[in-house]
């Protein structure tokens, strides 16, 4: 699930919200979706379970649904979950694994339109499989989309402890901003793990850290944070468009409006999928001309 968030829930790239400095430059790393890869990996929340057995062999979940579990429509199938994520569920009883997979699929499907319902399904999956890193990471990302910053941060930290690696550092830093702790977001950017990131992950973290600088009124520092070799107007696509947008926003905030206008135009040219509102921002700065 690769979903770009928007304003209101203060996700990546929203002007005035954590995760970036531009209201239209929005993107969030994916959760374990129906078609995509997960963000994610790990083991089960209720301790070791007996593999096999009559119910497991038929793929049945013999336990009744928990009272707080949302209903699963009949057309939501475990087979729609990414195969790599399904492999991570093999340590569960077969029936439970299928139910967890269906909750993850449902969370992916409704995340854009109903993040609260998606969160209910992600929580149901976590209750059933809380020792599996991919489930905890997915729960964290969905909580992030729903604006539950503390819950998202807790889940992502748990997933990192289980699976190792850098995890979704940009999302974690953005959660710190959502909790009103921009200094901690900057600390994540300065960490050895943060500095070791490359490619899109590094760009995401830069955008978040620049947003944290802007939260603190450090507009010039935000500009410097975003100055990287990736800031090349010849590039195009989602990552460059969002970087250019964040850079333009920081320049404007720092009082360098003419330069900011140039980079809003660069962002609009790079934005092949219309993910940002760079053209609208440029029009605002030029008085609509």
């Amino acid at each position: 699930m690769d979903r770009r968030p928007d304003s209101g829930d203060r996700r990546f790239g929203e002007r005035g919200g954590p995760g970036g400095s531009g209201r239209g430059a929005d993107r969030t790393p994916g959760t374990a979706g129906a078609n995509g890869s997960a963000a994610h990996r790990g083991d089960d929340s209720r301790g070791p379970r007996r593999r096999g057995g009559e119910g497991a062999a038929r793929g049945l979940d013999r336990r009744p649904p928990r009272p707080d579990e949302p209903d699963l429509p009949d057309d939501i199938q475990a087979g729609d979950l990414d195969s790599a994520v399904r492999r991570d569920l093999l340590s569960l009883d077969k029936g439970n694994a299928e139910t967890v997979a269906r909750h993850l699929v449902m969370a992916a499907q409704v995340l854009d339109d109903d993040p609260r319902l998606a969160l209910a399904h992600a929580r149901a999956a976590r209750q059933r499989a809380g020792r599996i890193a991919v489930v905890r990471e997915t729960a964290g990302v969905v909580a992030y989309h729903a604006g539950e910053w503390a819950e998202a941060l807790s889940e992502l930290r748990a997933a990192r402890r289980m699976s190792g690696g850098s995890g979704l550092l940009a999302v974690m830093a953005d959660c710190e901003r959502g909790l009103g702790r921009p200094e901690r977001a900057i600390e994540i950017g300065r960490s050895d793990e943060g500095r070791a990131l490359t490619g899109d992950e590094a760009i995401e973290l830069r955008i978040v850290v620049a947003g944290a600088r802007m939260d603190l009124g450090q507009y010039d520092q935000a500009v410097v944070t975003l100055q990287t070799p990736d800031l090349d107007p010849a590039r195009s696509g989602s990552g460059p468009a969002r970087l250019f947008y964040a850079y333009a926003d920081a320049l404007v905030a720092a009082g360098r409006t003419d330069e900011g206008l140039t980079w809003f135009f660069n962002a609009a040219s790079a934005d092949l999928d219309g993910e940002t509102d760079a053209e609208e921002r440029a029009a605002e700065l030029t008085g609509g001309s």
Side-chain angles (χ1 to χ4, degrees), residues 43-85:
D43 198 32
D44 169 27
S45 67
R46 295 166 57 88
R49 288 199 180 95
R50 176 177 56 83
R51 294 291 302 278
E54 179 184 359
R58 293 202 304 264
L60 300 177
D61 189 351
R62 301 176 66 86
R63 295 170 301 166
R66 299 169 189 255
D68 54 347
E69 281 192 5
D71 293 334
L72 284 165
D74 292 340
D75 61 344
I76 298 299
Q77 300 298 318
D80 293 332
L81 188 66
D82 179 78
S83 59
V85 182

Side-chain angles (χ1 to χ4, degrees), residues 171-241:
V171 180
M172 295 174 67
D174 212 20
C175 290
E176 295 287 9
R177 289 187 66 202
L179 292 167
R181 302 188 299 227
E183 297 89 349
R184 294 192 184 183
I186 293 170
E187 289 175 5
I188 291 175
R190 288 173 170 169
S191 68
D192 291 341
E193 289 178 321
R195 293 177 183 275
L197 295 179
T198 59
D200 288 345
E201 289 182 328
I203 291 174
E204 294 291 348
L205 186 55
R206 279 183 180 273
I207 292 173
V208 174
V209 172
R213 291 288 188 187
M214 293 177 70
D215 292 344
L216 296 169
Q218 300 172 355
Y219 304 119
D220 291 330
Q221 291 95 320
V223 170
V224 172
T225 296
L226 295 166
Q227 289 175 338
T228 164
D230 292 313
L231 205 61
D232 178 359
R235 301 181 66 208
S236 63
S238 175

Side-chain angles (χ1 to χ4, degrees), residues 100-255:
V100 170
R102 293 177 67 204
H103 278 300
L104 295 179
V105 171
M106 188 65 180
Q109 289 194 6
V110 303
L111 182 60
D112 293 347
D113 298 326
D114 193 342
R116 301 305 303 183
L117 178 58
L119 182 56
H121 283 283
R123 286 170 172 168
R126 182 197 62 207
Q127 288 173 350
R128 288 173 168 270
R131 292 184 185 173
I132 296 183
V134 64
V135 174
R136 300 298 290 271
E137 187 164 293
T138 299
V141 173
V142 175
Y144 170 75
H145 275 266
E148 297 289 346
W149 320 123
E151 179 178 351
L153 195 56
S154 175
E155 294 298 328
L156 293 173
R157 284 173 173 165
R160 289 184 68 212
R161 288 194 298 269
M162 294 175 184
S163 62
S166 60
L168 298 179
L169 285 182
V171 180
M172 295 174 67
D174 212 20
C175 290
E176 295 287 9
R177 289 187 66 202
L179 292 167
R181 302 188 299 227
E183 297 89 349
R184 294 192 184 183
I186 293 170
E187 289 175 5
I188 291 175
R190 288 173 170 169
S191 68
D192 291 341
E193 289 178 321
R195 293 177 183 275
L197 295 179
T198 59
D200 288 345
E201 289 182 328
I203 291 174
E204 294 291 348
L205 186 55
R206 279 183 180 273
I207 292 173
V208 174
V209 172
R213 291 288 188 187
M214 293 177 70
D215 292 344
L216 296 169
Q218 300 172 355
Y219 304 119
D220 291 330
Q221 291 95 320
V223 170
V224 172
T225 296
L226 295 166
Q227 289 175 338
T228 164
D230 292 313
L231 205 61
D232 178 359
R235 301 181 66 208
S236 63
S238 175
R242 297 184 58 260
L243 176 63
F244 301 166
Y245 189 106
Y247 188 54
D249 209 33
L251 286 167
V252 171

